[in-house]
Amino acid sequence: MNVTAASARAASTRAVVLIVDDEPDLLELVSLTLSRMNLETRTAPDVNTARRLLKSEQFDLCLTDMRLPDGDGLDLVAWIQENRNDLPVAVITAHGNVESAVRALKLGAFDFVSKPLDLGVLRKLVGSAIRLGERAEIDSATANIRGPSLIGSSQAMSQLREMIARVARSQAPVHIYGESGTGKELVARLVHASGSRRDGPFVAVNCGAIPTELMESELFGHKRGSFTGAVADKKGLVQSAEGGTLFLDEVADLPLHMQVKLLRVVQEKTVRPVGESREETVDVRILSATHKNLADLVAEGRFREDLFYRINVIELRVPCLRERTSDIPELSETILGRLGKRMNIEVPAISEDAYQMLREYPFPGNVRELENVLERALTLCATGLITAEHVKLRAVLRPPSEGATPASAPASPTNDSGVPAGLGAQLEDIERDAIVKALEKTRYNKTAAAKLLGMSFRALRYRIKKLGIE
Ligand SMILES: Nc1ncnc2c1ncn2[C@@H]1O[C@H](COP(=O)(O)OP(=O)(O)OP(=O)(O)O)[C@@H](O)[C@H]1O
Ligand SMILES: [Mg+2]
């Protein structure tokens, strides 16, 4: 089934796949399968031959076995990342050897397929890899990420954008984490829209919103008559993401028995609808998100470690708004613009004192809370200017005794930087102390105290109110 280098080059319209394996039977099977997909194939029995071919010829995809006579498939993956990093590479792993699949994905392999080969799975993998190659050419010519826009020029946001562009090229599962309202779903949509699956569906499933007893049939579908009320065959959400992306939002809320079933989707790329005896292969990329700390849940036995390990191959952390206050003006303008358009009104400007307040507020609800605050301000403001008076901040309105740490209110026990819960309270104590001392020193002259503390008068007034000092 080998073709000569000359004919591979001559048939430039056909994609060329390099298959690296030392088992002749497997080479034959894969070559045959791919040639039926109208692809050219080249084969190599070991790492050295593969490297030589990769140096001298053009390929669109490399498929490699893990255990080779003169080395490891992982070494080849690493070599390709260094020397031919625009070439998608996928690994063929021994059945059940998830460790090496995960290692390959972390090294930059775009996907894996396990032995014994399921030809349906193989065809889907190769199909999306070839599309990936076509996309890479288009993408390098245009911007690297696409889809809904992610506002913010802070360093944290630029890094996030870079990460999104990088993970979009892979098929590996990505786990997105961050406090609530930081934009996790937006990030998931961007990963989908920037990758080879963008023409396929993006199916978001809120794992916390589906009743437990319906979950299996919602996710995997059911056969008619499989239970009372199953009057017709029903397609599962997993199958409806075929060729695209399945986004498991609030994945921490997935009940344990469903976690086992999901494992099969991630690991074997198969699903079995309720009441169906056979499994179906599916081609979906799995993205997941939660504002909870999954590692903690694993430690508490509430989330399966094996599933955690597989959906968490790549982690994307979405920074909270407190860490990127410099993005507040840009975000505010965009949000107000959007609201103005929706409400069909002239968009007011935002005064400096209002901005000051927004910058100092901890935003436990992050960008979503900023959206709410601005929507309220827009309603309250009758003139063309939003001032501090129009900015009603939730955490300030709450009496200080009831939850001294607004920042930690709806958030997880540890925040994103791994800072233990309660730090907010400690910081507030330090702050309260400093303010009281400055006030005492200046005989309760707020202007002088603010100067002493290096903050504006308004900021001090806001903090005094927030900390309940008066
Ligand atoms: N960087 C950003 N640029 C523009 N809009 C953003 C950004 N981040 C978040 N948003 C907006 O904030 C709102 C919340 O975002 P999203 O739903 O993605 O957050 P989330 O992290 O999934 O929240 P939750 O944890 O509550 O599910 C959305 O309206 C989204 O469009
Ligand atoms: Mg969300």
Side-chain angles (χ1 to χ4, degrees), residues 321-382:
L321 197 50
R322 293 187 295 292
E323 287 171 45
R324 49 185 196 103
T325 48
S326 62
D327 289 338
I328 288 179
E330 200 182 335
L331 273 168
S332 305
E333 277 165 31
T334 314
I335 294 167
L336 280 180
R338 202 160 54 202
L339 289 169
K341 209 180 260 172
R342 199 173 72 201
M343 294 156 80
N344 202 18
I345 52 167
E346 189 94 12
V347 178
I350 304 180
S351 74
E352 190 37 49
D353 62 346
Y355 270 139
Q356 178 82 7
M357 249 173 117
L358 293 174
R359 270 194 290 262
E360 283 168 7
Y361 180 63
F363 279 107
N366 293 289
V367 183
R368 181 173 301 110
E369 187 175 4
L370 178 64
E371 288 176 340
N372 295 338
V373 167
L374 290 173
E375 187 164 2
R376 215 172 314 141
L378 196 59
T379 326
L380 293 175
C381 137

Side-chain angles (χ1 to χ4, degrees), residues 5-24:
S7 73
R9 265 193 302 273
S12 58
T13 48
R14 289 221 265 170
V16 192
V17 181
L18 174 63
I19 313 160
V20 190
D21 204 311
D22 57 336
E23 286 171 50

Side-chain angles (χ1 to χ4, degrees), residues 230-297:
V231 289
D233 286 0
K234 183 172 182 267
K235 192 167 162 186
L237 290 165
V238 174
Q239 292 94 322
S240 48
E242 177 69 24
T245 304
L246 180 69
F247 175 48
L248 299 170
D249 204 358
E250 304 305 344
V251 72
D253 296 339
L254 213 58
L256 282 165
H257 73 279
M258 287 308 297
Q259 293 178 19
V260 185
K261 303 216 151 115
L262 191 66
L263 200 57
R264 288 197 59 75
V265 178
V266 187
Q267 204 168 300
E268 316 290 337
K269 298 173 182 167
T270 56
V271 288
R272 194 170 61 80
V274 178
E276 178 65 79
S277 51
R278 283 189 318 168
E279 295 201 308
E280 304 168 359
T281 66
V282 279
D283 169 37
V284 297
R285 183 179 192 188
I286 308 252
L287 305 181
S288 61
T290 178
H291 64 276
K292 296 185 182 157
N293 186 326
L294 270 193
D296 283 353
L297 295 180

